Amino acid sequence: MDDNYLAWERDYKVAAHRSWNAMLNHQEFMLLLRANKFEEIALRAVRIESRTNLIFSFEKMALRDAVRTKAGAAAFAHGLHDLVYGHGRDEDKFERWCDVVASLPRVKTRVLTWPIVTVFGFIALPRVHFFYKPTVTRVAADMYGYPLHYVSRPSCQSYRHVLDFAALVRRDLSDLKPRDMIDIQSFLWVQGSAEYPD
């Protein structure tokens, strides 16, 4: 495994996942929910994400503003628990999560963005969820020759297309033995980002 890849792309995402497992594992999350500690759940989730560079600073600010009120934190906490630990089909849980994020208070910047709706599932369940930054992922899809249909408003149908693309890339990279969506997202980020020269 390339040391630069680990340092620049993988390690900090794995660290966020480990922090999630320490601070918001299922048992801990349930204890906080039952105690109505919604602000604490939101604080922990936002703190875990804030140690990454996954979402833009204006999105981080919009998210913090959205969960600052008790009502916003409660909606966020219940919705996030359902997304990560709830029962039922992943598609249905993701659709409900999009509805929750759409309902959160908006102070200045909109909260319902693809990075915000996909970052927590990615951190909590990196074997299941893909972190979707549309611009970079679409560039990577174009380079790959994959028709990734983009819709600006997050929905489970559009997310299904993203997951299908990620599954195809994972199959194509099977000889490299990708471990999870962290490896797939990192590969596509390198392909589509201007940060990495040809």
Side-chain angles (χ1 to χ4, degrees):
M1 186 64 58
D2 182 76
D3 288 341
N4 285 340
Y5 166 67
L6 293 174
W8 297 348
E9 287 296 330
R10 184 170 175 85
D11 285 351
Y12 76 93
K13 296 166 189 171
V14 171
H17 174 60
R18 288 179 179 150
S19 293
W20 180 280
N21 286 340
M23 298 170 64
L24 285 173
N25 59 71
H26 197 185
Q27 182 179 3
E28 184 70 13
F29 208 131
M30 281 305 304
L31 288 172
L32 292 168
L33 266 187
R34 288 182 182 134
N36 294 328
K37 293 189 175 180
F38 310 125
E39 294 97 330
E40 179 62 22
I41 292 168
L43 179 67
R44 291 187 191 189
V46 168
R47 185 180 297 147
I48 291 166
E49 189 289 318
S50 71
R51 295 185 185 130
T52 76
N53 62 0
L54 292 171
I55 64 176
F56 291 125
S57 57
F58 68 87
E59 290 171 313
K60 292 178 191 285
M61 191 177 308
L63 183 60
R64 284 194 299 269
D65 288 343
V67 299
R68 190 164 281 146
T69 66
K70 187 168 181 92
F76 176 85
H78 284 291
L80 188 55
H81 182 271
D82 180 44
L83 174 72
V84 177
Y85 300 118
H87 300 292
R89 298 187 322 139
D90 288 338
E91 291 87 349
D92 295 337
K93 292 190 290 181
F94 186 80
E95 194 68 38
R96 291 194 298 268
W97 173 236
C98 289
D99 290 342
V100 167
V101 175
S103 76
L104 292 175
R106 172 181 172 167
V107 177
K108 292 180 182 176
T109 307
R110 69 191 179 103
V111 188
L112 186 63
T113 68
W114 278 109
I116 288 177
V117 299
T118 57
V119 72
F120 294 107
F122 177 69
I123 289 172
L125 300 171
R127 293 184 181 278
V128 176
H129 288 287
F130 183 84
F131 174 61
Y132 183 33
K133 284 204 119 166
T135 302
V136 171
T137 310
R138 287 158 63 202
V139 169
D142 285 345
M143 294 172 68
Y144 214 81
Y146 186 87
L148 184 63
H149 304 292
Y150 171 68
V151 179
S152 62
R153 184 180 175 86
S155 70
C156 89
Q157 183 177 11
S158 295
Y159 188 49
R160 180 77 261 158
H161 292 307
V162 174
L163 292 177
D164 289 344
F165 176 43
L168 172 66
V169 173
R170 185 168 195 161
R171 285 194 300 274
D172 289 347
L173 297 179
S174 61
D175 58 323
L176 298 175
K177 298 182 173 53
R179 288 156 287 194
D180 47 34
M181 290 290 196
I182 294 174
D183 285 339
I184 302 306
Q185 185 271 334
S186 297
F187 173 81
L188 291 172
W189 178 263
V190 171
Q191 299 303 307
S193 173
E195 291 177 18
Y196 292 91
D198 294 336

